[in-house]
Amino acid sequence: MADALEQAGHGFTREPIDCLQETLLQKSAQGFDRPTQMWLIGGLVAMSLAIAGAIWAEIGSFREELRAEISSVRGGISSVRDEIRENRAAIAGLAEGQARIEAILNERLPRER
């Protein structure tokens, strides 16, 4: 590069050319080379996939727990409904019994005239 500039006749002396070369070479030396960049990007992608997989697995287990809990609650609700039906039937039976008792009492007790 220095030889090309000197031959082109731009008026650069050796000192500014050396300074330019050092400046340009330092800029190109910064950062990572391409294989290192590819490994870093590949590592980040692999880590992202692993994290996404772990999150997906956690979501799946949460779904299963939620489904089990919902089915448990539904089973509880159906058993409560059965108990309500039984209680209604018992209340109806008690109401019939009370009506019979009132009818018997009305027949046997003297009425006020």
Side-chain angles (χ1 to χ4, degrees):
M1 183 169 150
D3 296 335
L5 285 174
E6 284 178 13
Q7 290 174 1
H10 290 290
F12 284 104
T13 62
R14 189 78 177 146
E15 187 176 307
I17 292 174
D18 291 339
C19 181
L20 283 172
Q21 281 182 336
E22 287 176 19
T23 305
L24 292 175
L25 290 177
Q26 285 178 354
K27 297 254 185 208
S28 65
Q30 292 177 349
F32 297 106
D33 58 343
R34 184 168 175 81
T36 305
Q37 288 177 349
M38 296 305 286
W39 275 103
L40 288 173
I41 291 170
L44 287 173
V45 168
M47 187 173 25
S48 299
L49 288 174
I51 291 171
I55 290 172
W56 188 256
E58 191 63 30
I59 289 171
S61 69
F62 179 73
R63 272 190 207 153
E64 290 303 317
E65 290 176 17
L66 192 58
R67 283 184 185 137
E69 189 66 28
I70 288 171
S71 67
S72 165
V73 168
R74 284 182 179 162
I77 289 172
S78 70
S79 69
V80 168
R81 285 180 181 163
D82 293 341
E83 288 179 17
I84 289 172
R85 280 189 209 109
E86 291 171 7
N87 288 341
R88 284 183 181 164
I91 290 171
L94 290 174
E96 288 176 11
Q98 182 181 1
R100 269 191 260 130
I101 291 172
E102 287 177 356
I104 293 170
L105 287 176
N106 284 337
E107 287 179 10
R108 295 190 182 181
L109 289 178
R111 295 186 178 143
E112 294 180 26
R113 294 184 185 188

